[in-house]
Amino acid sequence: MSHTGMGQTVVAAAVAGLLLWSCSREPADRYDPAKMDLKPVPAKLSSERHQGAFASGTSLSMGAELKPLDPSPVKEVRLDTVHKIIEIAPGVKFSAWTFGDQVPGPTIRARVGDRIKFSMTNRSDEPVSGVQLTAAPMMHSMDFHAAMVSPQDKYRSIAPGQTIEFEFTLNYPGMFMYHCGTPMILEHIASGMYGAVVVEPREGYPTRVDREYVVIQSEFYAKPDPQKRKVDGAPLYVLDGEHLRAAQPNYTVFNGVHNGMVKKPLVARTHERVRLFVLNVGPSKTSSFHVVGTIFDRVWLDGNPDNQLRGMQTVLLGSSNSAIVEFMIPEEGSYIMVDHHFANASQGAIGLISTEAKPSETELEHHNIPSIKTTPTEPEAARGKLAFESKCLACHSFGQGKKLGPDLAGVTRRRTDAWLGKWLKSPEIMLQTDADAKALLKDANNIPMPNQNLSEAEIREFVRYFHWADSQPAGSLAAEHPGH
């Protein structure tokens, strides 16, 4: 063999060996702890108070629309605590504890490798402008699920007037919860102290989208204030500790408000790709997140693209679990975001992604869309309104005309409370014995009203709501839905 031929053989063998060696090697571990920053500096505690705004930082998004990533490798974030009154449902003024003066707290957006320089003053002793203090100042703290730090150092509780500062580097991509970690943690989260940190992969997301929104699901456990205090003439609601410990919420909501994203839908256009950053903060219930009318093309569990699922109808999220979901808007319309645990949806876990500027709520019959946009301030009537919207709205309206069943406007002037109570409790018995009930059945094309198995308390709430609705000025209910 010539020297040239022998040399080519040697080179070929070397190349083949190199390829075999490279194929046998494991790919580099992007989560190798040796390449992570696990040496944060100690936290600092001082009595120097922040003034002015309760939140600041260029990486913060204050609402559902997620701002583009700030390219700075160091993110300075300030989220102060403050007690304030928030409206969790129409007319329901709740005594909340907050990060950054809002519930949920602002969303932080960063990327793997970024450093968060965080500071927080406990300003729970400061009165909010125009509102008298309704909760005593107390200890608070911050717990970032996105951080890898000593909880004893960074997540310590601080007293009113104190400020804590600490830093950490983001080592994992995902969508992470933050919350107050001061005992009882259950009460602090249920009072509104939570938010999200979105951490992009170092190289960015593998797909391109047209819209990005944050959807945070949470529960409220509210009861009328035992001291019967009021805010702007409406009853004050406070934390219901008994129902909180039993995991029996009054409201389960997206982004802090019952049906909030029905009144202000998320905007999208036909054939656009939408990316939702979905977090269930609980504190105690599971979410089965679903968007009616489309399919999740990609689901990244806990917001990490390495945890990918395709073609999903729903995504199951336990307390503090998250997911990034992507989907396409197939045609014009309003696409309903809902917790498919429909007990949660009936309490307000619902929203819209809409191609319409003002979607028609009357066409969205089966997802507890409000029957009347105004709400009674009396707690029993307010609960009756919510129950009516979750159980009865598909068949009945108030002042918008007959549907499958009769329009109920004026019902308390046509029927006595006793008759309404019997009808709500046992419609099947009334249909056997009561002439008026039989006439209603005939008028409804012989489609009977189902027995909703209402308790005595629920029946009282329905009747109180009916009386409230009938006490409104003539024509005002129909005017809530122009054209009906």
Side-chain angles (χ1 to χ4, degrees):
M1 181 180 293
S2 67
H3 288 293
T4 301
M6 183 177 296
Q8 290 175 340
T9 302
V10 171
V11 170
V15 171
L18 181 61
L19 290 172
L20 182 62
W21 175 77
S22 63
C23 290
S24 64
R25 291 183 64 197
E26 293 185 5
D29 183 4
R30 71 178 70 193
Y31 308 118
D32 183 354
K35 298 178 181 178
M36 295 180 179
D37 179 2
L38 299 176
K39 296 180 180 179
V41 298
K44 297 179 182 178
L45 197 63
S46 74
S47 57
E48 185 176 344
R49 300 176 67 114
H50 292 152
Q51 304 291 329
F54 292 94
S56 67
T58 57
S59 64
L60 298 183
S61 296
M62 302 303 187
E65 186 173 0
L66 189 63
K67 289 169 49 178
L69 177 70
D70 174 4
S72 171
V74 177
K75 308 287 195 296
E76 295 196 9
V77 174
R78 175 160 66 85
L79 296 175
D80 295 338
T81 68
V82 61
H83 295 176
K84 65 176 298 186
I85 305 300
I86 63 173
E87 190 169 60
I88 59 178
V92 181
K93 310 284 188 177
F94 180 70
S95 178
W97 311 340
T98 78
F99 287 120
D101 197 37
Q102 63 180 62
V103 179
T107 299
I108 303 168
R109 185 172 196 170
R111 63 186 165 193
V112 171
D114 285 352
R115 191 163 189 81
I116 303 295
K117 296 183 69 173
F118 174 73
S119 65
M120 179 183 79
T121 297
N122 183 341
R123 298 167 67 178
S124 64
D125 56 343
E126 293 185 20
V128 178
S129 178
V131 178
Q132 186 178 7
L133 276 175
T134 58
M138 65 185 66
M139 305 286 278
H140 288 303
S141 61
M142 173 61 86
D143 177 336
F144 282 109
H145 287 198
M148 301 173 70
V149 295
S150 166
Q152 291 73 37
D153 180 49
K154 308 298 188 294
Y155 302 161
R156 72 182 82 173
S157 297
I158 61 173
Q162 289 187 312
T163 297
I164 190 168
E165 300 176 48
F166 59 85
E167 302 178 16
F168 59 94
T169 297
L170 298 166
N171 293 313
Y172 283 84
M175 185 183 188
F176 299 93
M177 181 179 175
Y178 68 74
H179 62 88
C180 182
T182 298
M184 293 284 290
I185 296 175
L186 177 63
E187 295 179 352
H188 287 251
I189 294 175
S191 295
M193 303 192 79
Y194 51 80
V197 181
V198 171
V199 185
E200 291 193 14
R202 196 183 298 269
E203 65 277 12
Y205 294 116
T207 56
R208 295 176 62 88
V209 295
D210 301 292
R211 310 275 180 171
E212 292 184 313
Y213 295 109
V214 174
V215 179
I216 297 178
Q217 180 169 327
S218 63
E219 304 140 25
F220 284 106
Y221 302 77
K223 67 178 180 180
D225 177 29
Q227 301 178 41
K228 298 184 178 181
R229 291 173 290 181
K230 292 190 174 183
V231 178
D232 298 330
L236 174 68
Y237 286 76
V238 297
L239 188 67
D240 186 337
E242 181 179 353
H243 285 90
L244 174 63
R245 290 184 291 273
Q248 297 173 335
N250 315 81
Y251 303 94
T252 305
V253 302
F254 292 153
N255 289 11
V257 180
H258 175 279
N259 283 12
M261 285 186 288
V262 173
K263 298 174 184 176
K264 295 181 179 180
L266 306 182
V267 176
R269 293 188 176 90
T270 305
H271 298 153
E272 284 187 335
R273 286 185 62 82
V274 177
R275 178 183 292 150
L276 298 182
F277 298 79
V278 186
L279 170 66
N280 177 30
V281 304
S284 299
K285 309 295 277 188
T286 299
S287 170
S288 187
F289 186 78
H290 173 72
V291 177
V292 180
T294 190
I295 293 175
F296 301 149
D297 176 56
R298 285 175 173 80
V299 173
W300 297 327
L301 297 179
D302 267 351
N304 188 335
D306 280 350
N307 306 330
Q308 179 167 282
L309 298 170
R310 301 295 303 270
M312 299 290 289
Q313 59 185 322
T314 61
V315 57
L316 192 64
L317 303 173
S319 296
S320 92
N321 277 148
S322 68
I324 295 175
V325 302
E326 292 186 0
F327 52 91
M328 187 264 290
I329 300 296
E331 60 179 331
E332 295 289 325
S334 295
Y335 297 81
I336 304 169
M337 300 180 293
V338 65
D339 184 344
H340 223 279
H341 288 169
F342 276 111
N344 295 341
S346 72
Q347 294 182 332
I350 187 170
L352 297 179
I353 304 166
S354 185
T355 63
E356 305 169 26
K358 293 184 178 180
S360 174
E361 294 177 359
T362 57
E363 295 175 359
L364 304 171
E365 64 179 30
H366 64 297
H367 286 90
N368 68 298
I369 306 299
S371 54
I372 301 170
K373 291 183 179 179
T374 53
T375 296
T377 57
E378 195 274 318
E380 201 168 51
R383 290 194 295 272
K385 178 178 185 286
L386 292 177
F388 177 84
E389 291 166 354
S390 67
K391 298 175 185 291
C392 310
L393 196 56
C395 299
H396 300 278
S397 74
F398 253 109
Q400 292 91 48
K402 178 182 175 182
K403 297 171 78 173
L404 186 61
D407 187 330
L408 295 183
V411 67
T412 59
R413 293 188 285 272
R414 299 191 300 270
R415 310 291 180 198
T416 67
D417 287 1
W419 192 96
L420 290 171
K422 292 178 182 178
W423 175 248
L424 290 167
K425 186 174 183 63
S426 302
E428 69 281 3
I429 294 177
M430 291 282 282
L431 287 172
Q432 297 173 11
T433 60
D434 187 271
D436 288 339
K438 292 177 181 179
L440 285 174
L441 180 64
K442 183 178 181 180
D443 191 49
N445 297 315
N446 292 316
I447 301 175
M449 184 177 111
N451 190 325
Q452 300 284 354
N453 297 309
L454 301 176
S455 67
E456 294 296 332
E458 289 172 321
I459 290 171
R460 287 195 303 272
E461 291 164 0
F462 267 98
V463 174
R464 288 298 291 266
Y465 171 53
F466 296 162
H467 276 286
W468 173 85
D470 285 342
S471 71
Q472 302 308 296
S476 65
L477 304 186
E480 295 290 350
H481 292 289
H484 290 269

